[in-house]
Amino acid sequence: MTDDRVGEALRAYQRARLTAERRRSELANAIGQAVVDRGVRQADIARQTGYTREHVRRLCNDYVERKAKAEAEARAQQPVTP
């Protein structure tokens, strides 16, 4: 037999975890855009977020890789014109 309150709490926890993962991804993209695309200093982002500069650097490297992959995929889907 299950307890309805346990089930409700579990579902709420799972929703919160998914939301946190989505927000973490949004934050990583925002950091990458700020540093890579707009020239904000990594040290300023580290100060604002509390992350280490090394962590900010890793997020930026991941952003650059994701951006390059998305651009390559977009080019690959463009029709070839003779």
Side-chain angles (χ1 to χ4, degrees), residues 3-16:
D3 187 325
D4 287 342
R5 290 177 292 177
V6 172
E8 289 174 21
L10 176 61
R11 286 187 293 279
Y13 171 78
Q14 290 169 336
R15 284 191 305 273

Side-chain angles (χ1 to χ4, degrees), residues 47-59:
R47 194 173 303 110
Q48 183 177 5
T49 61
Y51 291 163
T52 64
R53 286 180 56 205
E54 177 63 20
H55 187 63
V56 172
R57 184 188 68 75
R58 286 185 192 129
L59 292 173

Side-chain angles (χ1 to χ4, degrees), residues 16-51:
R17 192 174 75 208
L18 290 173
T19 299
E21 289 173 12
R22 208 169 27 251
R23 296 295 184 188
R24 192 173 12 262
S25 176
E26 290 171 6
L27 177 59
N29 282 330
I31 289 170
Q33 289 171 352
V35 173
V36 175
D37 297 339
R38 296 192 309 273
V40 176
R41 292 177 348 131
Q42 289 182 9
D44 293 337
I45 297 295
R47 194 173 303 110
Q48 183 177 5
T49 61
Y51 291 163

Side-chain angles (χ1 to χ4, degrees), residues 67-79:
K67 187 176 175 181
K69 182 179 178 182
E71 290 171 355
E73 288 173 356
R75 281 192 306 272
Q77 293 181 2
Q78 291 178 346

